[in-house]
Amino acid sequence: MNAPIADTLSSRAKRPRFLQRLLPKAGAFLKLAASGAVAALAFPPAHLVFVLPFAFLMLMRAINGSRDMRQAAWAGFAFGLGLHTAGLYWLTNAILIRASEFWWFVPLAAPGCAVILAPFAAVPAALSRLAPRGWRRGALFAGVWTLCDMGRAFLFSGFTWNPLGSDWAFHGFLGDVMIQPAAWIGVDGLTLLTVLLAVLMPLGRREALLGVVVLFLWGAVGAWRFETVASGVKTDERVSPIVVLAQGNVAEKDKIGRADVRTVFERYLRLTSEGVKAAVAEAASAQGPARPVVYVWPETAFPGVLEEEPEARSMIARAATGAAAGMIGSLRQASDGHWRNSVIALDDSGAVKGAYDKARLVPFGEYQPAFIPLQIVPGGGMTPGPGPVTWRLPGLAPVGPLVCYEVIFSGHVVDRRHRPDWLVNVTNDAWYGDSAGPRQHLAAVRMRAVEEGLPVARAANTGVSIVYDARGHDMGRLEWGREGVLVRALPPALPPPFFARFGQEIPLVFCVLTIVVAVFGRRLPPISR
């Protein structure tokens, strides 16, 4: 025996037995975590959906090769850890803003959240073992994966960020086409289709061919809906407003430090004045009944408590002369003494006509779970509001206000009893820097437009401020990092799509049907040669 081989065998013999067992497991764990990280490339803004079959192939091989459900669960956990660590890498930017206080948490932000979310991938991996290998195991995995994804709405205050269905929200016409089925089955239905394709296409020629056919039909149906619903729309210009979206582009450190609140306030007054003048001129030159003008400021754009500042409201009204109403992001202290993250509605005189309080708070940002012993949320956090409402403001079509993060919750953004004609979303994504985070948030806004059949006007502090029509089509935007104002005539609403009428029950039913077929279905006959 030559010397190098002898030395190697000797060193292996000297290793403790637990290390001999641990090292191969650690290698397999890291390989699956890397596969999950590759799958994250399909999230916005990269949208590399073609990587999903390769990434999920690695996970399904690990599940098939596992001894029992417990080992399969660990495989799913590793995959989920990589998926969410890579998909949420931008959370580190939020911690860096307060690095002097939470420097120790900088390397833990994304992995820490991923550890909480990884069990939602471990459960489908484990339960898929209840079905035999092949298409039945893949279908069971896809059905349970989607159910678990929907279940994230109940994690703390909810965290349904980055469902795989949002991977199809490409920028431009291709994305317009591919997201149209969300009008019937919601983003969770798209997630179910996405995971089915990812786990079944690698199984063989027949499955791959079937996947190609499904994608072709998906695109054809999406293109058909995109064109037909546009031709069937009838605009009611008497109530559809012209929106003025002010984007102040105030850095988050400046907002927190409150170094020059007067400059920030004056900047928004100037943007509002410029935008309203342009909107009023557009309304006057348009044929038919004049549209009302409404201006919108982003989340917490007012550097104070707007309800308690009558002079500031008067200054805003003067700057917005000619507008019928305004909607301004501001903190407010309710009668119970608790702080709310709110959007305030003003009439043309600056009087308060409504206040909507954010109902879904960001875990660890605005809301701190009780089991965390260390206080990491400033001021102890916010108090949530009661949920979606519809404002009926003088001269405007009914509108549903949404604050920031709560727009990510599919099926939970509209008051079903009083359906609005449009949605307004105010947000401040400056926390997350010029990263994937704001683009992932934007994809959620677009999906809500399609699901609800409602146009969405979004005002973002640092971008992206945008107007989507009721098909999720981009009508105009202000990109990230720009100061400016976006003026657009709001497109009309569509009749309530199927998903808007029935909500989450639709993807839930499809998931249950998929699971039943997987558990009780028969093996498909082999391909004839």
Side-chain angles (χ1 to χ4, degrees):
M1 183 180 298
N2 62 41
I5 294 177
D7 291 343
T8 300
L9 293 176
S10 175
S11 64
R12 285 184 178 179
K14 292 177 182 178
R15 285 177 184 167
R17 186 169 298 176
F18 80 93
L19 278 181
Q20 295 181 32
R21 293 196 301 265
L22 180 62
L23 289 177
K25 292 180 180 179
F29 189 93
L30 290 175
K31 183 185 297 184
L32 286 166
S35 298
V38 169
L41 293 173
F43 290 142
H47 296 289
L48 301 181
V49 292
F50 62 84
V51 305
L52 292 177
F54 302 99
F56 277 93
L57 174 62
M58 300 300 295
L59 174 57
M60 296 308 295
R61 281 181 173 175
I63 293 171
N64 292 337
S66 57
R67 293 189 307 271
D68 50 30
M69 292 177 66
R70 181 178 177 181
Q71 193 174 30
W74 272 110
F77 183 90
F79 185 89
L81 186 68
L83 176 72
H84 294 297
T85 299
L88 299 173
Y89 77 92
W90 45 266
L91 287 174
T92 302
N93 293 336
I95 307 301
L96 287 172
I97 292 174
R98 300 178 62 195
S100 60
E101 301 172 70
F102 299 109
W103 55 269
W104 52 271
F105 196 59
V106 169
L108 302 177
C113 286
V115 166
I116 297 172
L117 295 172
F120 289 87
V123 171
L127 293 182
S128 67
R129 294 273 304 179
L130 297 176
R133 293 189 186 196
W135 71 267
R136 291 174 62 185
R137 178 169 291 177
L140 179 58
F141 175 87
V144 179
W145 176 287
T146 307
L147 284 179
C148 289
D149 236 29
M150 295 171 68
R152 288 196 278 150
F154 306 100
L155 178 67
F156 307 133
S157 54
F159 195 78
T160 57
W161 198 279
N162 276 347
L164 288 173
S166 67
D167 295 353
W168 302 97
F170 309 114
H171 182 60
F173 179 72
L174 180 59
D176 288 340
V177 166
M178 297 305 288
I179 64 176
Q180 292 308 303
W184 302 308
I185 60 177
V187 70
D188 295 305
L190 298 189
T191 294
L192 177 62
L193 280 174
T194 303
V195 181
L196 279 170
L197 290 170
V199 298
L200 297 183
M201 289 183 72
L203 291 179
R205 274 190 314 173
R206 175 178 54 193
E207 290 83 358
L209 180 60
L210 180 61
V212 172
V213 171
V214 169
L215 286 171
F216 175 79
L217 293 175
W218 182 342
V221 170
W224 169 81
R225 182 182 188 272
F226 184 77
E227 296 299 335
T228 55
V229 296
S231 62
V233 166
K234 293 182 179 180
T235 305
D236 184 355
E237 294 190 352
R238 291 173 299 177
V239 293
S240 297
I242 297 176
V243 292
V244 176
L245 307 179
Q247 182 169 303
N249 196 35
V250 181
E252 192 58 32
K253 288 185 177 180
D254 294 339
K255 286 176 68 69
I256 294 175
R258 298 180 60 81
D260 197 352
V261 294
R262 172 175 285 276
T263 299
V264 171
F265 182 53
E266 290 176 346
R267 181 184 307 176
Y268 274 103
L269 290 178
R270 172 176 52 80
L271 292 172
T272 301
S273 178
E274 293 173 0
V276 170
K277 287 177 181 177
V280 169
E282 180 179 334
S285 63
Q287 295 182 349
R291 295 188 180 207
V293 174
V294 58
Y295 57 94
V296 185
W297 292 14
E299 178 187 17
T300 62
F302 181 74
V305 181
L306 187 60
E307 285 185 317
E308 300 174 7
E309 298 284 352
E311 184 177 348
R313 297 199 304 270
S314 296
M315 294 173 68
I316 294 170
R318 289 195 296 271
T321 299
M327 303 173 192
I328 295 181
S330 171
L331 296 179
R332 82 181 192 98
Q333 194 169 26
S335 56
D336 58 10
H338 294 169
W339 287 98
R340 264 56 168 205
N341 186 356
S342 308
V343 55
I344 309 297
L346 304 180
D347 66 11
D348 57 356
S349 69
V352 175
K353 289 298 180 180
Y356 170 75
D357 301 324
K358 186 176 183 180
R360 294 275 196 166
L361 303 178
V362 179
F364 308 105
E366 298 168 317
Y367 157 79
Q368 178 160 321
F371 67 85
I372 302 294
L374 181 65
Q375 181 64 47
I376 61 174
V377 179
M382 301 281 184
T383 298
V389 300
T390 297
W391 277 344
R392 299 183 182 275
L393 304 174
L396 291 182
V399 56
L402 296 165
V403 180
C404 187
Y405 167 84
E406 60 190 354
V407 78
I408 74 171
F409 293 93
S410 174
H412 299 282
V413 298
V414 166
D415 181 353
R416 300 292 174 192
R417 297 168 300 173
H418 307 286
R419 173 178 162 86
D421 285 359
W422 59 294
L423 298 174
V424 63
N425 177 225
V426 299
T427 189
N428 173 30
D429 291 351
W431 287 92
Y432 310 121
D434 189 7
S435 66
R439 281 78 180 183
Q440 293 168 1
H441 196 187
L442 186 64
V445 178
R446 190 178 181 190
M447 299 301 297
R448 301 298 85 78
V450 178
E451 290 173 345
E452 301 297 339
L454 297 174
V456 181
R458 183 193 200 231
N461 169 33
T462 51
V464 175
S465 296
I466 198 166
V467 172
Y468 284 121
D469 72 7
R471 305 166 300 164
H473 177 65
D474 184 347
M475 304 296 293
R477 62 170 61 196
L478 284 173
E479 291 291 356
W480 176 270
R482 286 184 53 195
E483 176 188 320
V485 61
L486 180 67
V487 179
R488 285 293 183 276
L490 195 72
L494 293 172
F498 192 66
F499 182 84
R501 293 198 297 270
F502 297 100
Q504 293 291 84
E505 288 83 356
I506 298 170
L508 178 62
V509 167
F510 278 110
C511 287
V512 172
L513 289 175
T514 302
I515 291 170
V516 169
V517 170
V519 173
F520 299 104
R522 295 181 178 179
R523 179 182 293 274
L524 291 176
I527 300 175
S528 58
R529 296 183 181 274

